Amino acid sequence: MYDSVEHRAYGSPPEPLSRMPLFYSRALVLGALLMVPASSALSQGTLADYRRSEGLRTATNGLVVNAPEAATWIAASDRFWYRRSVTGGSEFVLFEVASGQKRPAFDHDKLAGALSSAANKKYGALTLPFTTFTFTDSARAIAVTVDSVAWRCGVITYSCSRDATASGRGGRGGGAPSGTSAANQAPRLAPDGKTEAFIKNFNVAVRLVGSTRDSLLSTDGSEGNAYTMQSIVWAPDSRHLAAYRVKPGYRRMVRYVESSPTDQLQPKTFETFYAKPGDALDVQQPVIFDLVAHKELALDAALFPNAYAMSRLEWRRDSRAVVFEYNERGHQLFRVLEGDATTGAVRVEIEERMPTFFEYSAKKYRFDIDDGRETIWMSERDGWNHLYLYDGATGRVKNQITKGSWVVRGVDSVDVAKRQLWFRASGMNPRQDPYFIHYYRINFDGTGLTAFTDADGTHTVRFSGDHQTYVDTWSRVDLAPVSVLRRTSDRSVITEVDHGDAAELMKTGWRAPEVFVAKGRDRTTDIYGVIIRPSNFDPTKKYPVVENIYAGPQDSFVPKTFAAYNGMYALAELGFIVVQIDGMGTSNRSKAFHDVAWKNLGDGGFPDRILWHQAVAAKYASYDISRVGVYGTSAGGQNSLGALLFHPEFYKAAFSAAGCHDNRMDKIWWNEQWMGWPIGPQYAASSNVDNAHKLEGKLLLVVGELDNNVDPSSTFQVVNALIKSTKMFDLLVIPGAGHTSGGAYGDRKRNDFFVHHLLGVEAPDWNAVPLRIGPGDDDDALGSWDALWANWMVGGRPFAG
């Protein structure tokens, strides 16, 4: 393979880049990058390695074509559109099921011209500044959002104008806010349109629409215990309404100094509200008002005595009761409660009680049937994440809908008439990666389990509006995306929609990540990870290992889908083997697997990770576990420093960015979810601050001075503790930066850090031999090798969740 690439690159004088087909020029460039001279291949961390690393993103871009993304069905039609990769960028394709034909969703050149003209910016036909859109006006126009601005573009007239009525739609820049503070404070209109409710002097008042005369429904509201406009909800009968009276908790403010503002010389200061573990929280009291009986009913708080949070109040359709969810402080008890509109009595509809934690933030699902007569509920009570059918009247489980040693990942739709639900799950296929997502249907009574996907990969399915057909798109780290159209009735393939072609990428010598599985700390459970090697990998050599870590319990993080490039590839090119692992304590496996994180974030899955590393080293002599580094951001920043503090016998160097180094210093919701409440000794046991005196090995800390995700003081308190313990380390503080690993500059610092401490060589002197580290120009504009070198980007962004 290398010989053929070398012949293409060096066998004859190359054409000028500007005259080559774009995919060919990129393949040639990447081939040249990967084909370093033999003398260079024997060394690591050289300037040539850096250039190859920093050019990798641009050089691999465009070498995989026809790779489809998930489909989007057009409402009330048998058509769908999808986005796919093409040479030079991407295009949007429209597929008609009846004919089996596909064509461009619109004229890309004309749309790029129209949007460029309207926005006064230059957009290319294959680099349109959005990834999704919505057909409007009977498919004669599309609605898109670009840089938070909503646009409506005709696809017949090809003219674009700002859409002032839109609340924001998907695009690179995100969406506009769904509402305004003024709208939130507007009076709440009753369903019959005759009366409106509002807040007056901290109390609930009502008046006839158009009248200036009002009457108070409550008189117990005050500055420190006020009713809130946002919580007012009318009952369908327009006779009752409900609202929360709120006693404010502690309003913790985190203060910032912006050292280097762009609009003035002197620093600026500001503050933001930021609740932390242990803080006193708002106390919400639900109250029901009967306008006819002139009665106020404060619901009995016995069943919701210590809330972390209470959900929005919801009325039953017959106005008999108001329903709300109670998440108790500590997240071990969660209730669905119903308050009677006549008596004010409160009863439990569903109760979820866990010895560890109930993961309300990602695994709570509730679907009410027939106005609450039945409810579908998600729970891990049997050790796996599954669905249950509840009797709404008795509050008892009628039956478990799904069961087995696998996990439900989400519910897509519920067909009440047919008493069926459509859901996603992983782990049901014993010969596949247990994290791969597949799609299923099942009856409410637990019968009729039907699988809609089977290919060995992780899937995204989109059903047509009538559920008669569906588009199944899947991939693996070693398989480019494939998309097929299937018939729902028998799951048969109607036709292939598209199939990613990575042939040009493979010709360059690109290596797919290796999926590696080893036993965890219990010697029974499989631990999954991926191994990424440099493109010039020599199995007879020894390579230091760098682990990309994020052990946050809210998800799993090892990649499962295909990507020609990610930041780990760029780091590997410097002469490392780079890996990523999901150890115990992360999500999407059994409850026992997940519970390892309970009151123990300091564990980080390290006992599993170390055994995984050792298993790889036992198989591959090139895998040098005497030189192991680790890097991560946010929770990964906590983990990476924790590796040196708690496992210095194994990890030798850590790059730790934006770390939540003490869980008492970080945001309340994330940390109390896993570390529990009240604050106890478990917080100190997992704290990088309290354990800073244990530091061994080499450490580089990174923090943005304006991080509003993790309080920057979390990092500075580690710095303080390290200095007091006379520990040596490096610190990079980035002015004006938020929650980040440092961007391109931080990536360069990280790479140099590992090259120095794990490879034992000095990185190039960048002050003497600078390479541009920022967004590069369009490849089409590059006219020389010097320009190509100068515009290559530093690749890779650690997960910053």
Side-chain angles (χ1 to χ4, degrees):
M1 182 179 292
Y2 282 138
D3 289 342
S4 64
V5 173
E6 185 173 1
H7 178 75
R8 280 180 57 188
Y10 299 110
S12 58
E15 295 181 72
L17 290 176
S18 59
R19 294 206 302 269
M20 294 182 187
L22 187 55
F23 80 86
Y24 183 82
S25 67
R26 282 178 176 149
L28 186 153
V29 169
L30 183 57
L33 284 169
L34 301 187
M35 289 306 301
V36 296
S39 59
S40 297
L42 297 176
S43 62
Q44 293 165 306
T46 66
L47 180 60
D49 293 324
Y50 273 92
R51 284 177 167 171
R52 191 174 60 254
S53 167
E54 296 181 359
L56 206 57
R57 181 198 297 267
T58 300
T60 57
N61 186 27
L63 296 186
V64 180
V65 297
N66 300 330
E69 297 178 8
T72 299
W73 288 88
I74 301 172
S77 78
D78 70 342
R79 299 181 300 160
F80 61 86
W81 65 263
Y82 65 98
R83 184 172 177 254
R84 69 176 180 181
S85 62
V86 295
T87 302
S90 60
E91 67 178 1
F92 296 89
V93 180
L94 185 68
F95 192 101
E96 296 180 346
V97 174
S99 65
Q101 299 297 309
K102 57 186 176 184
R103 58 182 174 82
F106 42 74
D107 188 312
H108 289 62
D109 286 301
K110 290 182 178 179
L111 184 64
L115 193 55
S116 297
S117 177
N120 197 27
K121 293 181 180 179
K122 179 62 176 176
Y123 300 121
L126 300 182
T127 55
L128 290 168
F130 54 87
T131 59
T132 186
F133 66 88
T134 302
F135 273 115
T136 64
D137 193 18
S138 301
R140 290 192 293 269
I142 64 170
V144 299
T145 296
V146 178
D147 296 330
S148 300
V149 177
W151 297 92
R152 185 181 181 280
C153 298
V155 291
I156 296 176
T157 61
Y158 287 97
S159 61
C160 295
S161 59
R162 291 198 179 208
D163 188 349
T165 64
S167 60
R169 303 179 182 90
R172 286 183 186 168
S178 58
T180 65
S181 58
N184 289 336
Q185 296 304 315
R188 300 298 193 259
L189 185 64
D192 64 8
K194 298 177 181 179
T195 311
E196 58 187 13
F198 58 99
I199 300 299
K200 180 178 181 180
N201 194 29
F202 313 106
N203 283 283
V204 179
V206 294
R207 65 188 173 214
L208 294 176
V209 174
S211 173
T212 58
R213 297 180 59 184
D214 58 61
S215 60
L216 289 175
L217 298 183
S218 69
T219 57
D220 52 354
S222 65
E223 289 89 342
N225 197 16
Y227 290 90
T228 64
M229 178 69 80
Q230 294 89 338
S231 71
I232 295 176
V233 182
W234 281 97
D237 63 6
S238 297
R239 168 177 173 166
H240 297 87
L241 64 81
Y244 279 123
R245 189 175 67 242
V246 181
K247 186 179 295 183
Y250 177 60
R251 313 301 288 177
R252 180 182 299 280
M253 306 302 291
V254 171
R255 295 170 176 84
Y256 295 86
V257 176
E258 185 179 3
S259 65
S260 309
T262 58
D263 59 345
Q264 67 183 48
L265 177 64
Q266 297 301 323
K268 293 180 178 180
T269 62
F270 64 93
E271 62 183 16
T272 187
F273 172 65
Y274 190 106
K276 295 186 178 183
D279 284 356
L281 299 178
D282 293 357
V283 176
Q284 295 174 288
Q285 171 63 55
V287 181
I288 294 176
F289 299 95
D290 185 331
L291 277 67
V292 175
H294 304 287
K295 186 164 62 174
E296 174 183 342
L297 290 172
L299 301 187
D300 185 351
L303 291 173
F304 51 94
N306 182 26
Y308 170 79
M310 309 262 277
S311 72
R312 185 175 184 273
L313 300 168
E314 306 170 43
W315 281 96
R316 293 301 186 195
R317 291 196 301 269
D318 61 6
S319 303
R320 70 182 187 274
V322 68
V323 180
F324 58 98
E325 295 175 351
Y326 165 69
N327 183 3
E328 187 161 280
R329 193 84 183 262
H331 309 298
Q332 293 177 279
L333 175 63
F334 195 99
R335 288 179 174 138
V336 180
L337 300 172
E338 183 180 270
D340 189 280
T342 302
T343 67
V346 180
R347 71 178 185 91
V348 177
E349 287 197 351
I350 297 173
E351 180 173 286
E352 195 69 40
R353 192 182 293 270
M354 287 289 178
T356 55
F357 56 82
F358 173 68
E359 193 186 354
Y360 75 95
S361 56
K363 294 180 180 177
K364 182 187 76 68
Y365 176 80
R366 175 182 138 230
F367 184 89
D368 289 343
I369 302 164
D370 190 20
D371 204 22
R373 268 71 179 184
E374 290 180 308
T375 297
I376 297 171
W377 179 254
M378 185 181 288
S379 170
E380 293 183 285
R381 65 187 59 175
D382 76 344
W384 301 86
N385 198 42
H386 281 300
L387 297 166
Y388 296 77
L389 183 65
Y390 266 82
D391 185 317
T394 65
R396 295 175 182 171
V397 175
K398 297 179 72 171
N399 61 269
Q400 185 171 349
I401 301 173
T402 62
K403 62 179 64 177
S405 301
W406 47 272
V407 296
V408 173
R409 298 290 291 271
V411 177
D412 294 309
S413 63
V414 178
D415 188 332
V416 174
K418 294 182 178 179
R419 295 185 69 79
Q420 295 177 329
L421 61 87
W422 309 66
F423 68 99
R424 309 182 301 281
S426 58
M428 208 183 299
N429 301 60
R431 292 183 176 85
Q432 294 187 19
D433 186 321
Y435 294 94
F436 284 170
I437 295 175
H438 287 272
Y439 285 70
Y440 303 89
R441 183 185 65 210
I442 196 168
N443 298 325
F444 286 3
D445 63 4
T447 64
L449 178 64
T450 302
F452 291 100
T453 57
D454 53 13
D456 187 10
T458 196
H459 294 250
T460 300
V461 164
R462 297 289 183 263
F463 286 94
S464 60
D466 59 9
H467 271 65
Q468 296 302 303
T469 54
Y470 61 97
V471 182
D472 176 15
T473 306
W474 76 92
S475 74
R476 297 190 306 265
V477 293
D478 61 348
L479 175 70
V482 178
S483 190
V484 297
L485 178 67
R486 291 178 179 265
R487 186 175 293 105
T488 305
S489 59
D490 59 4
R491 284 86 67 200
S492 61
V493 174
I494 298 172
T495 187
E496 183 175 272
V497 175
D498 236 322
H499 196 130
D501 181 359
E504 294 301 320
L505 179 68
M506 301 305 294
K507 289 177 183 178
T508 67
W510 177 88
R511 298 170 181 268
E514 177 187 348
V515 177
F516 192 87
V517 185
K519 297 300 181 184
R521 68 188 77 182
D522 61 1
R523 302 301 193 270
T524 300
T525 304
D526 286 336
I527 303 298
Y528 280 73
V530 292
I531 303 170
I532 295 176
R533 298 175 174 87
S535 59
N536 60 356
F537 175 74
D538 181 349
T540 66
K541 292 176 57 179
K542 287 277 192 179
Y543 290 83
V545 177
V546 179
E547 180 181 346
N548 174 11
I549 191 169
Y550 188 95
Q554 74 271 23
D555 207 344
S556 52
F557 305 97
V558 173
K560 302 298 174 183
T561 57
F562 182 86
Y565 174 87
N566 66 46
M568 292 186 284
Y569 284 102
L571 181 56
E573 283 303 302
L574 298 177
F576 302 105
I577 295 176
V578 182
V579 303
Q580 191 169 4
I581 310 160
D582 279 322
M584 291 188 187
T586 53
S587 191
N588 301 322
R589 299 286 289 278
S590 70
K591 187 71 166 78
F593 190 103
H594 204 185
D595 279 348
V596 169
W598 173 238
K599 294 188 176 182
N600 192 20
L601 285 178
D603 177 274
F606 284 115
D608 313 299
R609 297 170 187 275
I610 292 170
L611 287 170
W612 188 94
H613 283 291
Q614 291 170 343
V616 179
K619 182 175 182 179
Y620 299 114
S622 58
Y623 198 88
D624 187 356
I625 56 172
S626 70
R627 296 179 290 165
V628 180
V630 59
Y631 72 96
T633 301
S634 194
Q638 177 182 8
N639 302 141
S640 53
L641 174 52
L644 298 187
L645 302 182
F646 303 119
H647 299 279
E649 78 288 350
F650 190 81
Y651 294 95
K652 306 305 179 186
F655 174 94
S656 171
C660 38
H661 295 290
D662 189 309
N663 300 107
R664 294 164 292 193
M665 289 290 294
D666 194 22
K667 65 195 79 67
I668 187 172
W669 78 266
W670 195 88
N671 293 273
E672 285 194 8
Q673 166 80 94
W674 319 117
M675 293 296 288
W677 179 92
I679 303 300
Q682 73 272 18
Y683 279 84
S686 288
S687 169
N688 290 346
V689 177
D690 288 8
N691 291 282
H693 63 280
K694 299 177 181 178
L695 178 68
E696 297 181 35
K698 305 300 181 181
L699 172 65
L700 171 55
L701 293 167
V702 179
V703 63
E705 68 176 3
L706 302 183
D707 190 339
N708 62 1
N709 184 320
V710 175
D711 185 347
S713 293
S714 185
T715 295
F716 292 121
Q717 288 184 5
V718 167
V719 169
N720 182 49
L722 290 170
I723 291 173
K724 286 183 175 181
S725 300
T726 64
K727 296 293 183 177
M728 297 295 108
F729 63 97
D730 293 317
L731 172 66
L732 172 62
V733 180
I734 306 176
H739 195 59
T740 180
S741 60
Y745 187 84
D747 289 345
R748 172 65 59 75
K749 292 288 288 186
R750 179 201 64 201
N751 295 350
D752 290 355
F753 174 79
F754 287 131
V755 164
H756 176 74
H757 292 296
L758 298 182
L759 290 177
V761 301
E762 290 303 318
D765 180 355
W766 301 118
N767 293 334
V769 187
L771 287 178
R772 178 175 176 177
I773 53 172
D777 296 328
D778 237 350
D779 284 357
D780 294 340
L782 300 177
S784 68
W785 283 99
D786 290 339
L788 186 61
W789 291 120
N791 284 279
W792 273 324
M793 295 168 56
V794 172
R797 302 291 184 271
F799 178 85

